Amino acid sequence: EGVALRLRRRGRRHWEVTAKWAGQVSGVLHERPELTVELAGPPVMPFAVPAGPLHVHLAAVVAGQPLRPLLITKIHRRRIDVLKADAADAAPVLAELALDRVQLCGPDGTPAPDRYCEVEVERLHGTRRDLGVLARVLRAEFALTPSADSKFARGLALVYGPESVARPVAVTVQPQDTVAQAARKIVGVHLRRLRRYDPGTRLGTDPEALHDMRVAIRRLRAVVRT
């Protein structure tokens, strides 16, 4: 469904859970909505999404199913603040530059055969243009290669093989499709729409979300009847 759920320990005792949506990638820029909440203690498996905003946004995706880890990621990270060349001491930080050394493991703790390093830049008070300039400098000075994949997608490929990463598929019904293939595509379209508008309907802050969800349900019922 284009959502990755990350459990992360910060320091020795603090745990948090973050939902990351697929978002969009344009060149070297990744824009992915995310929502993070603190956990009261270490997570227990199978993991249950805690009540609150995270549960509201993921209820239609999780559908009450137990959640178990797919990847364990061990990251050694060094952070560097990025400022303008002539910035004063109190100037806002444009971005945070993270130098990561990554070791991936399967859910049983078996390490992946390869480790890798990456540079991740997170925009703070800078602009998209600032990020573009910084990316060009990093590529020119250090021969870095941009990646369109997230850490999660890269981890799946390294631990389970490249075929494990789901790629976008065409949802348009084709003349050569069987009835079953056409039905799956059409049902999938309306299920994705239903799940997209579910959080807004639960929150009750946007009447359009409720309207769009009802439309998706009516169309889904019509498809099933047909």
Side-chain angles (χ1 to χ4, degrees):
E1 296 301 328
V3 183
L5 200 64
R6 180 189 69 195
L7 295 167
R8 181 165 66 179
R9 184 177 65 185
R10 294 186 296 107
R12 293 182 177 271
R13 300 181 180 179
H14 298 285
W15 285 86
E16 65 183 21
V17 56
T18 300
K20 291 175 171 271
W21 282 262
Q24 60 183 5
V25 179
S26 176
V28 298
L29 295 179
H30 296 235
E31 293 181 286
R32 293 190 174 100
E34 61 180 65
L35 177 61
T36 299
V37 298
E38 299 286 335
L39 295 178
V44 177
M45 297 300 157
F47 180 71
V49 179
L54 199 60
H55 187 276
V56 170
H57 282 80
L58 296 181
V61 177
V62 175
Q65 298 299 307
L67 301 178
R68 299 184 183 277
L70 290 174
L71 293 171
I72 298 174
T73 307
K74 300 176 182 178
I75 301 176
H76 181 272
R77 168 168 287 187
R78 180 185 176 192
R79 294 183 174 91
I80 301 172
D81 289 341
V82 179
L83 303 169
K84 288 187 176 180
D86 56 349
D89 291 341
V93 178
L94 300 181
E96 180 185 82
L97 187 71
L99 309 178
D100 291 344
R101 189 166 67 246
V102 183
Q103 170 69 69
L104 295 159
C105 302
D108 61 352
T110 302
D114 297 321
R115 300 186 181 191
Y116 70 90
C117 296
E118 73 173 8
V119 177
E120 182 176 296
V121 182
E122 181 175 355
R123 181 168 69 93
L124 297 179
H125 299 285
T127 64
R128 289 170 59 95
R129 182 177 179 277
D130 293 327
L131 289 189
V133 172
L134 179 57
R136 288 194 294 272
V137 170
L138 291 173
R139 293 177 64 182
E141 293 292 328
F142 302 102
L144 300 180
T145 302
S147 172
D149 287 331
S150 64
K151 271 190 174 67
F152 179 66
R154 193 177 306 112
L156 288 179
L158 288 174
V159 173
Y160 298 101
E163 66 281 356
S164 65
V165 181
R167 303 296 181 184
V169 296
V171 295
T172 305
V173 176
Q174 303 296 324
Q176 67 271 19
D177 286 346
T178 65
V179 172
Q181 290 170 333
R184 288 191 184 98
K185 287 181 178 180
I186 298 171
V187 168
V189 166
H190 296 303
L191 275 177
R192 283 190 290 273
R193 289 176 177 170
L194 188 153
R195 288 169 174 150
R196 183 190 313 157
Y197 300 121
D198 180 272
T201 300
R202 291 175 185 269
L203 291 169
T205 56
D206 182 4
E208 288 300 317
L210 174 60
H211 170 73
D212 292 335
M213 188 173 181
R214 291 178 64 187
V215 170
I217 291 173
R218 286 201 301 268
R219 292 177 177 174
L220 183 57
R221 287 173 173 167
V223 171
V224 173
R225 283 197 301 268
T226 302

